[in-house]
Amino acid sequence: MSELRRGGAKKVGAGQTRLLPRSRAFLLFLLPMPMLLLACVNAFSSAVSALGYAVGFAASMIAATLVRKGLDIEYEANRRKIVRRSSSIPYKLLGAAVLGAGIFAGARFGAEIAFINSVLLGLGAAIGSVMVYGTDPSRSAPDMPAIGVTSEEVLEILNEADEKILAIEAARSRIHNVELKDRLSKIIIGVREITDIVEDDPRDLRRARKFLKVYLEGAQRVTEGYADTHSYGDTGELDSNFRSVLTTIETVIGEQKQKLLENNLTELDVQIEVLQLQLEKEGV
């Protein structure tokens, strides 16, 4: 994967970034492991104790999964500048409650600890989970009446654009021509700059929607098509056609950024129509 991202800086891919918050829940998966061992050991001496440890372990694993889901949602809600609606399910709080119940079951029925002490252990585990992993983010997200869409709709378009950019980067990695790879790198940076403009001021979505949804998809298709076929035989004409398309893409990106700054939409639509016709002509 290319190291080029917004503003030319390195940005971790979506799969990798999700690992960052998920790794925080690793301890919740690790700590209950002794209960699994004790359940196996006690299976031959005390069925009740073994069952208590087994229930405690299973509940703790469910709790860890719920907390990890909550961390994923929190990351997705916070990774952009736009406020995002979170899930209607409070996964982290639910995970803390299930963890408390699991620790109670393991302590009371597995280790046969006194009831009140088992309750305190379970309560302590639940409170500790909340202290370490926090509560769930807000479920509300403000509308954006100035542009007639919600923040969710803006984020959906930006996320789709990110996926298309990643696809272009993946295709770029399969192209061996240094000149074309460099031009694609600059195109990727330019597109990232446009998504940054929209993220900074979602009112610009009206002027960038067609670029992000229609034109960027065409740029992705033509890049993937070239990457799939450029290594077969004589590609002189193919290279020439691809260079021509890249020139148009570069021009439209420059026009798009300029029009976003100037709040002028009509002339840019004409430029995008020209590019679409060119893509169709090249068989994309």
Side-chain angles (χ1 to χ4, degrees), residues 196-269:
D196 278 343
I197 291 173
V198 174
E199 186 171 346
D200 288 336
D201 186 356
R203 291 174 297 179
D204 285 318
L205 179 64
R206 182 180 66 88
R207 291 177 292 277
R209 184 193 295 268
K210 189 172 185 179
F211 173 86
L212 294 175
K213 290 187 71 68
V214 179
Y215 162 63
L216 189 56
E217 182 178 352
Q220 173 191 341
R221 289 202 313 270
V222 72
T223 305
E224 290 177 331
Y226 177 79
D228 290 337
T229 59
H230 81 287
S231 59
Y232 298 104
D234 183 10
T235 59
E237 183 178 354
L238 178 64
D239 290 350
S240 177
N241 291 340
F242 188 56
R243 283 188 177 91
S244 177
V245 172
L246 289 183
T247 298
T248 307
I249 292 174
E250 291 162 347
T251 300
V252 172
I253 287 176
E255 291 283 344
Q256 177 70 82
K257 288 191 290 185
Q258 186 65 28
K259 299 310 175 184
L260 286 176
L261 297 176
E262 293 178 355
N263 295 335
N264 190 329
L265 180 64
T266 305
E267 190 174 328
L268 177 62
D269 280 343

Side-chain angles (χ1 to χ4, degrees), residues 175-213:
I175 296 173
H176 306 300
N177 186 298
V178 176
E179 173 210 344
L180 299 179
K181 288 173 73 76
D182 288 344
R183 292 181 68 178
L184 282 170
S185 295
K186 294 176 182 177
I187 286 172
I188 290 167
I189 292 173
V191 176
R192 287 291 185 186
E193 289 173 350
I194 290 171
T195 59
D196 278 343
I197 291 173
V198 174
E199 186 171 346
D200 288 336
D201 186 356
R203 291 174 297 179
D204 285 318
L205 179 64
R206 182 180 66 88
R207 291 177 292 277
R209 184 193 295 268
K210 189 172 185 179
F211 173 86
L212 294 175
K213 290 187 71 68

Side-chain angles (χ1 to χ4, degrees), residues 33-53:
M33 289 301 173
M35 285 196 289
L36 177 61
L37 178 61
L38 289 170
C40 295
V41 170
N42 283 275
F44 303 99
S45 57
S46 173
V48 173
S49 180
L51 182 61
Y53 282 126

